[in-house]
Structure formats: structure tokens, C-alpha cells
Amino acid sequence: MTGRIRSEIPLPPHRQSCDTVALSTLRTPPHHLPHEKCAVRSFPLPLALTARLSPVVVLACAGWALTSGPAAPPAAAGHRTAQSSPAGSSSAAPSSTAAANAYATAPAPCSGVPGDTVESLVPGAKTAGKEIPSTDTRLRRTCSWNALHGYDYRWLDVSFEISPSEQEARKEYEQRVAERGGGGAVPGLGDGAYSVVNLTTEDKQQTREGVVLARVANAIVVVTYSGSDFESKQAPGTDEINKGAIKAAKSAVAALGEGRG
């Protein structure tokens, strides 16, 4: 009698039966199913017949639930996924670039070389030096000292350059070293240092120039030291210029290290 009465109740078009809904819930996420209760929709049936059919429908739904078991709620599945993620995932790790940036701005360059060093390398120059205008003083600052002492002319430049990251600073440093062949490494200076000395002649006047490149984290120090003798038309010796450039570079790197974050 109960089975005959249930078969006479028409289901809505394109709808699943109560039993089918319960089975589908176990196989597909709940959000794909219509938000309906597992029960027969209201129809204009006599009150007595409705009261007799309701327990039958409820028992049928309960039978499917007991035999199939409850489906795991989506929140629990998501919780298990979060627990399976490694504790040291990249999303929780701090930015390696931010951690590697020891310097955010370039320091004052004219205070990077002590006064006594300036006097020994550039006799007659003002120890305060003169800062060269820069388009962005946060990223690049340069100080210059130059003087003519008798017939001897000396010129010293010290620059501080800040790169966005240590990786970019290393790449820039290596590129500049490759462009200046014939030099050699300077041990014990920063994270890497290189020096080279070149001789040029113009209108029979010789000029010898030494350049030192030094990298410290994401900063690059560039020292240029040159000299000429206008009386003899000769240039100072290679050893003198090279040692003078390295001496200034050591002072500049030490000054840079004082402002390291």
C-alpha cells in the first residue's frame, strides 16, 4: 500500500528523487545541488493523505543516510588540505629580496674618505670634497677631490651605488669587471673587489688612472684615482696609482659598513 501511494505522487520536471539526491550528495560538492530539503514538495492533497505520506518519505530518506554514511563537509576537507601544506611554505616565508637588502640609500660620499687620506692622495685639495649632482641621491652619490700641486695633478672620485637587490648588484659588478680587463682581484675587500690601472696619452701628455670596484651586499663602491705630471708630461707609476685607489676604496667600504641595516 505504501509503495503504491508513493508511485502516484508526481515528481517535479527535471528534479531528482529524494533517494537520488542523497546519493549524489556523497559524490559531488554540495554547492552543485539545488538548495532543497530532502522531502516531497507541497501539493494540494487532502490533509489526511498528507499526514499518512509524510512518515513514509522521512523513513526513506533516513534509510539512505544510514546505509551510505554522512558526507564529509567541505570545511573539513579544506582543513585537511591546509594541514598537509609544509610548515615552511613560500607564502609564509619572508621575502628573500627584502632580507638581502642591507642598504636602502646611498651614504654621504664626501665623508667616506678621511681627511688625512685625501691629503696624502690629492695634495692641496680641500678635504671636504665636492659632491657631484645626481638624478637620484638615494641610489647614487659621488664625491670628488682634485688639485694641482706644483705640476702634479691628482683626481679622486668615490661613488656609492645602491641596487634593488644583492643579486642585481652582483650581476652589475660582474659585468663591469668583465668590461675592464687586465686587472686583478683585491682580497679582503667587501664581498668582492677588483682593481685595474690604465695609461692614456693625449697631446703627448700621459695620464694614469686606477679604478677599484667593490661590492658589499646590494651596494657597489667605485673609486677612480688618476694623476699626471704637467712638467715632465709623464704619469705617476702604476704601483702608486693602484695603491692609492685601493686605499681610498678601503676607507669607502668601511664607511659604507657603518650604515649597514
Side-chain angles (χ1 to χ4, degrees):
M1 178 63 181
T2 300
R4 186 178 64 83
I5 293 177
R6 289 184 60 191
S7 63
E8 292 175 357
I9 300 175
L11 292 173
H14 307 291
R15 298 285 185 171
Q16 297 170 308
S17 69
C18 176
D19 296 348
T20 306
V21 170
L23 181 60
S24 302
T25 305
L26 300 176
R27 299 180 180 178
T28 60
H31 60 271
H32 293 304
L33 297 177
H35 297 287
E36 296 183 355
K37 295 181 179 179
C38 185
V40 180
R41 295 180 59 187
S42 299
F43 292 97
L45 296 176
L47 182 61
L49 181 57
T50 302
R52 292 179 59 188
L53 291 177
S54 297
V56 176
V57 176
V58 171
L59 288 175
C61 294
W64 273 107
L66 291 174
T67 56
S68 302
H79 182 64
R80 286 196 301 272
T81 302
Q83 288 180 336
S84 62
S85 301
S89 61
S90 58
S91 60
S95 171
S96 58
T97 300
N101 287 346
Y103 305 100
T105 60
C110 293
S111 60
V113 181
D116 56 347
T117 301
V118 173
E119 291 176 352
S120 66
L121 297 179
V122 190
K126 296 180 179 180
T127 57
K130 180 180 180 181
E131 185 166 356
I132 307 302
S134 173
T135 55
D136 192 340
T137 55
R138 297 175 306 165
L139 304 180
R140 179 185 175 88
R141 296 182 70 175
T142 302
C143 190
S144 180
W145 298 264
N146 61 86
L148 180 63
H149 185 67
Y151 292 99
D152 288 335
Y153 183 74
R154 297 292 185 272
W155 187 296
L156 174 65
D157 283 347
V158 174
S159 298
F160 295 105
E161 302 177 11
I162 307 301
S163 296
S165 67
E166 183 170 347
Q167 181 179 2
E168 292 190 31
R170 184 184 298 108
K171 181 179 180 181
E172 178 68 20
Y173 169 78
E174 293 174 351
Q175 180 178 345
R176 294 191 190 185
V177 168
E179 293 172 353
R180 297 177 177 272
V186 181
L189 184 59
D191 296 324
Y194 176 86
S195 69
V196 61
V197 178
N198 292 310
L199 177 67
T200 60
T201 302
E202 184 176 353
D203 295 333
K204 298 181 180 181
Q205 174 64 58
Q206 291 183 348
T207 300
R208 185 165 270 114
E209 179 183 82
V211 176
V212 175
L213 300 169
R215 183 186 68 82
V216 183
N218 65 310
I220 296 178
V221 176
V222 183
V223 173
T224 303
Y225 181 52
S226 62
S228 299
D229 187 328
F230 292 141
E231 183 178 30
S232 65
K233 300 292 184 180
Q234 301 297 308
T238 299
D239 192 56
E240 177 186 345
I241 293 298
N242 188 49
K243 287 183 177 179
I246 293 176
K247 183 178 183 179
K250 288 182 177 180
S251 296
V253 168
L256 183 65
E258 293 175 359
R260 187 163 187 168

